[in-house]
Amino acid sequence: MALRSTLFAIMALLFSSSALAHVSNPHEKIGDDLAAQLVSQLQRVNQHYGYSNIGVTRWVLAETLELPEQGDSMHKLSHQLSESLYAHMKERNLDLVEFRAQDYVTLTAEGSTNMTRNVDELEAQPKLDWVLVGTLSRKDDGAVVNLRIIDRRSQEVLAAANRYVPKHLYWPNKQTEMVDGRLQRH
């Protein structure tokens, strides 16, 4: 009986801590909010368009349309949120295409991979109907994330979402960062 109680207590602790970790992760909440905004709009136009394959890109700085540099607080935000959108959009039954996937698995001494950024190893014309793109803009003490789902053929914006993200959520306890190629202290 004591063994059963101990096992039950351990399982309860494990499950409750993993649930709390998921809830307390601010990127998950923000990603979920953005996905909900986009899917809500797509559901309204879905009768007209039907289901289409969506590819998710990394998000760029609105001012330059370039990827944030390593060391810029926006770099981590762009990466984490764009990657988390895959899960949040798939949870809402959207058809996603991972265009970074190869048509084979690469085996090395370090491990096995399927994704690459080497354009020579990727599908030249991935089967994407729509593309999720995003921009990041610095605002006050944070960033505004602006997302759009665009029809590849017509360039029509099918859905759009935005969200202000306070800097302490994506750049906690950092004193310096790269902004426009310059070191900035906070």
Side-chain angles (χ1 to χ4, degrees), residues 32-43:
D32 194 54
D33 288 349
L34 290 166
Q37 288 181 48
L38 292 169
V39 170
S40 161
Q41 293 175 43
L42 285 177
Q43 287 173 340

Side-chain angles (χ1 to χ4, degrees), residues 57-77:
T57 65
R58 282 281 303 277
W59 305 339
V60 297
L61 298 172
E63 298 81 17
T64 62
L65 297 183
E66 294 178 358
L67 290 171
E69 293 180 22
Q70 192 81 18
D72 184 332
S73 62
M74 301 286 218
H75 183 270
K76 183 178 176 182
L77 181 66

Side-chain angles (χ1 to χ4, degrees), residues 70-180:
Q70 192 81 18
D72 184 332
S73 62
M74 301 286 218
H75 183 270
K76 183 178 176 182
L77 181 66
S78 170
H79 177 71
Q80 289 180 339
L81 283 179
S82 63
E83 288 294 317
S84 78
L85 259 284
Y86 278 98
H88 294 291
M89 292 175 69
K90 195 63 185 172
E91 287 171 355
R92 290 169 170 84
N93 297 317
L94 293 178
D95 295 327
L96 299 172
V97 173
E98 178 54 83
F99 51 85
R100 298 171 296 183
Q102 306 171 105
D103 59 358
Y104 56 90
V105 174
T106 300
L107 299 172
T108 67
E110 292 82 28
S112 55
T113 61
N114 176 256
M115 296 197 319
T116 184
R117 293 191 190 282
N118 182 343
V119 294
D120 295 331
E121 298 176 8
L122 295 173
E123 180 71 36
Q125 295 291 321
K127 294 169 183 62
L128 299 174
D129 302 305
W130 300 344
V131 180
L132 186 144
V133 299
T135 61
L136 303 166
S137 298
R138 294 179 207 290
K139 179 164 175 57
D140 301 328
D141 202 22
V144 175
V145 177
N146 297 291
L147 303 181
R148 292 174 287 289
I149 294 181
I150 301 172
D151 184 301
R152 270 189 52 192
R153 291 179 240 4
S154 69
Q155 274 73 47
E156 179 183 359
V157 175
L158 305 172
N162 63 19
R163 173 83 191 268
Y164 174 76
V165 183
K167 194 170 198 171
H168 73 273
L169 294 180
Y170 62 90
W171 199 248
N173 304 320
K174 304 289 183 176
Q175 298 300 314
T176 60
E177 68 174 309
M178 293 297 289
V179 177
D180 299 326

